[in-house]
Amino acid sequence: MRSLEGELALVFAEDVIEEVYTVLQDSFAEHPDLPTALMFLETIFGAGELVGRREYRAEVEGWTRRIRDHEDAPLAAASVVAEVDALVTGDKDLLVLKQVGIIPVLRTKELLELIDGRSKVP
């Protein structure tokens, strides 16, 4: 996520997008609403900026050593490379860090409070 001060801009790491699609397709393969859910995701991801794996690949190894769940390293690396204002997640292994470099790690609820003006960036 970029620009808490001005317009909200969403940033998505390539690894995250691939993981979301894989999990949905594997977990809900037989669900009748899967095609609709996938089209909705296309809309959400299309509204944001893609940070390609090649842009943050060099940073992943360093984050792998600092994060409890190594699968979260690409997200941390992409956040730093994209210079986002905050990393928004529900992942406990990232939330426990409180920050990735100088980037605050926020829950969705905290982001919504920031947008609503009820709190300040940590």
Side-chain angles (χ1 to χ4, degrees):
M1 184 207 90
R2 291 191 191 184
S3 247
L4 288 177
E5 300 299 323
E7 280 189 39
L8 178 66
L10 302 173
V11 178
F12 301 103
E14 186 174 350
D15 287 272
V16 171
I17 291 174
E18 287 179 5
E19 181 180 354
V20 168
Y21 279 115
T22 299
V23 169
L24 277 178
Q25 290 171 335
D26 291 350
S27 300
F28 301 101
E30 302 301 319
H31 197 284
D33 291 329
L34 179 61
T36 303
L38 293 174
M39 285 191 321
F40 181 66
L41 276 177
E42 286 282 326
T43 301
I44 292 171
F45 291 144
E49 176 185 335
L50 173 69
V51 181
R53 190 177 293 113
R54 72 185 185 297
E55 295 177 55
Y56 57 85
R57 181 182 314 146
E59 300 290 326
V60 172
E61 186 178 329
W63 284 103
T64 299
R65 291 189 295 266
R66 295 183 241 177
I67 296 178
R68 191 168 49 192
D69 182 354
H70 303 276
E71 290 184 19
D72 294 328
L75 183 54
S79 298
V80 171
V81 168
E83 298 177 344
V84 298
D85 291 322
L87 191 163
V88 181
T89 185
D91 187 293
K92 292 177 184 175
D93 293 313
L94 288 169
L95 288 165
V96 73
L97 297 175
K98 305 233 189 278
Q99 286 187 248
V100 170
I102 62 168
I103 300 165
V105 179
L106 306 174
R107 294 181 175 281
T108 304
K109 178 183 176 189
E110 293 170 312
L111 171 64
L112 294 174
E113 289 171 355
L114 285 170
I115 291 169
D116 196 32
R118 290 182 281 167
S119 67
K120 301 258 187 261
V121 177

